[in-house]
Amino acid sequence: MMDTGRSPVTVIGLGAMGQALAAAFLRAGHPTTVWNRTAAKAEPLVAEGAVRAETVAEAVEAASLVVVCVLDYPAVRAVLEPVAAKLSGRVLVNVTNGTAQEARSTAEWAAGLGAEYVDGGIMAIPPVIGSPEAVILYSGSREAFDKHADALATWGTSRFLGSDAGLAALHDLALLSAMYGMFAGVNNAIAMVRTEKVTAVEFTESLLMPWLNSMVAVLPMLAEEVDSGAEISHERKLVEQVALANIIETAATQGVAPDVIAPIQSIKDHA
Ligand SMILES: NC(=O)c1ccc[n+]([C@@H]2O[C@H](COP(=O)([O-])OP(=O)(O)OC[C@H]3O[C@@H](n4cnc5c(N)ncnc54)[C@H](OP(=O)(O)O)[C@@H]3O)[C@@H](O)[C@H]2O)c1
């Protein structure tokens, strides 16, 4: 590796995301050590200049910034527990998807080892890593985050949310819940129109996207209503109830299961 003056970094976990993170470090000139359970996945990165550690211990020892990006938190622990003592004095940045509670208990575990801990939530897909559109949420040790802010900025736009290590996961999962809810509604909408031979592409481009964009535009107003605690008017509730009942009836008539919309109707009924 060339001496670029950039700090050495380690990436543990070279799935689709870990590979993208390591590649971004390499492009920015960071001497990058990598480790993955399935060693062959390191090969493309080694061709780009990464050093493949033979063991997790070797990977951890190679840098003061240790990034871990594996499937889930049990995998994080499975990989790092055996080398826990070596984390002392290092910064562990864990960008594995997990719950807020998992993040908090991992922060405590790291603190007990004398390591600084930053939890991360990646709001991007691997091809976007390395561009400003890739938003990465962080929480935990502010000092540790600041120490490595330049290196982390090579992945995209960093957003530090606070010293409670669970905050990044909380916000990450809240955003994902908005996304999954939207996709479920979108799939339902497409299923409805496809019963009349309208293609998903035609519907999406001509009507669905403009409609969803106009709905996104009302979100600030909705958020203000929520924060103000204002009651939704009786008239608006009635209009929503009629529309939801009509969606369910029309979907059923067209042969589409009500699974997505029926729970929304039941929530609105409770309200
Ligand atoms: N891909 C995305 O679009 C995306 C976006 C945002 C966040 N993320 C998050 O990033 C993390 C990694 O995602 P990914 O897309 O890279 O997943 P992936 O391609 O399926 O890779 C999973 C990684 O976890 C490793 N792993 C799983 N179980 C393990 C264990 N018990 N011990 C050691 N290593 C283990 C795998 O090692 P092997 O190669 O040996 O199987 C591999 O490196 C996840 O938490 C995911 O939610 C992904």
Side-chain angles (χ1 to χ4, degrees):
M1 284 184 293
M2 282 191 326
D3 183 4
T4 57
R6 296 278 195 160
S7 55
V9 296
T10 283
V11 178
I12 292 173
L14 303 174
M17 185 53 81
Q19 289 197 27
L21 301 176
F25 277 151
L26 284 167
R27 283 197 300 275
H30 288 275
T32 305
T33 299
V34 294
W35 182 89
N36 192 57
R37 180 178 61 177
T38 308
K41 287 191 190 167
E43 278 162 21
L45 293 162
V46 170
E48 296 297 318
V51 168
R52 185 175 72 195
E54 293 300 322
T55 61
V56 184
E58 202 180 301
V60 170
E61 280 167 343
S64 63
L65 171 60
V66 177
V67 172
V68 59
C69 181
V70 288
L71 178 67
D72 55 14
Y73 276 62
V76 170
R77 289 298 190 92
V79 171
L80 293 179
E81 290 274 13
V83 297
K86 295 195 186 295
L87 287 169
S88 174
R90 300 181 203 279
V91 171
L92 177 62
V93 174
N94 179 16
V95 288
T96 303
N97 188 276
T99 67
Q101 197 41 44
E102 281 178 315
R104 290 176 185 129
S105 61
T106 307
E108 274 174 34
W109 172 75
L113 300 168
E116 291 176 280
Y117 184 77
V118 178
D119 204 86
I122 302 175
M123 308 317 301
I125 54 172
V128 181
I129 296 297
S131 73
E133 287 72 39
V135 172
I136 294 112
L137 311 176
Y138 297 100
S139 57
S141 165
R142 176 85 219 199
E143 213 182 320
F145 171 78
D146 287 343
K147 214 183 284 180
H148 295 287
D150 287 348
L152 299 176
T154 64
W155 294 343
T157 302
S158 303
R159 297 277 303 270
F160 188 86
L161 299 177
S163 60
D164 169 358
L167 287 176
L170 176 71
H171 286 78
D172 177 335
L173 296 170
L175 291 173
L176 289 182
S177 81
M179 180 191 80
Y180 284 122
M182 181 188 74
F183 286 158
V186 160
N187 284 334
N188 188 73
I190 288 173
M192 286 174 74
V193 297
R194 271 172 55 103
T195 59
E196 294 300 337
K197 313 277 180 276
V198 177
T199 70
V201 169
E202 181 192 343
F203 175 64
T204 300
E205 288 176 356
S206 70
L207 288 171
L208 184 58
M209 286 183 65
W211 168 246
L212 288 180
N213 280 328
S214 72
M215 288 299 100
V216 165
V218 306
L219 290 181
M221 195 184 75
L222 191 88
E224 268 177 37
E225 271 179 16
V226 171
D227 283 343
S228 73
E231 277 278 316
I232 298 171
S233 72
H234 179 65
E235 290 73 18
R236 199 163 113 197
K237 279 184 193 164
L238 266 182
V239 167
E240 284 178 351
Q241 277 172 333
V242 170
L244 285 163
N246 287 339
I247 295 168
I248 289 169
E249 192 182 321
T250 300
T253 313
Q254 297 292 129
V256 174
D259 303 16
V260 172
I261 303 299
I264 299 174
Q265 186 188 40
S266 131
I267 292 164
K268 295 274 181 188
D269 283 350
H270 272 293

